[in-house]
Amino acid sequence: ERLEALHHPFTAPHPEDTSDLTTARAQAYDLVYNGVEIGGGSLRIYRRDIQEQVFKAIGLTMEEAHEKFGYLLEAFDLGAPPHGGIAYGLDRLAMLLAKEQS
């Protein structure tokens, strides 16, 4: 059975959930202002073994994973630090600050 990433296949699973990725919780977060999401992001996978597990879960063979993301997997071998990202919806924030509906 092939799984599909709900966000993207680089979001880190919760550390307690790595033994079964079919029910894993993502380490993701949202920034909310007055009940409206204005940003979101996640902690990223920074370990090769976890990234390979995720690629396998979404149906990529190791050959496909290396063809598409070999540079990333090799970087993990060199030691990537824990890291995350966030994207802001500046349009939503401007809408809310201007008290507009759209």
Side-chain angles (χ1 to χ4, degrees):
E1 180 181 339
R2 180 175 188 254
L3 299 178
E4 195 170 308
L6 293 178
H7 184 55
H8 57 69
F10 309 106
T11 298
H14 192 281
E16 295 175 2
D17 299 340
T18 56
S19 62
D20 181 11
L21 294 179
T22 62
T23 59
R25 296 166 288 168
Q27 291 193 72
Y29 40 86
D30 292 322
L31 180 62
V32 178
Y33 174 78
N34 285 344
V36 177
E37 179 186 342
I38 59 171
S42 66
L43 297 181
R44 306 297 199 253
I45 296 170
Y46 61 93
R47 289 180 28 201
R48 183 181 183 132
D49 61 326
I50 300 295
Q51 189 65 71
E52 287 178 341
Q53 282 182 326
V54 171
F55 287 156
K56 183 178 178 183
I58 63 171
L60 289 179
T61 65
M62 282 300 107
E63 182 179 287
E64 291 171 318
H66 284 276
E67 182 180 307
K68 295 178 180 185
F69 304 107
Y71 62 91
L72 178 66
L73 297 172
E74 289 174 17
F76 290 153
D77 288 338
L78 299 173
H83 57 285
I86 189 165
Y88 297 102
L90 294 179
D91 56 336
R92 292 183 189 179
L93 184 56
M95 174 194 76
L96 292 170
L97 294 174
K99 297 182 180 167
E100 297 292 335
Q101 293 298 311
S102 175

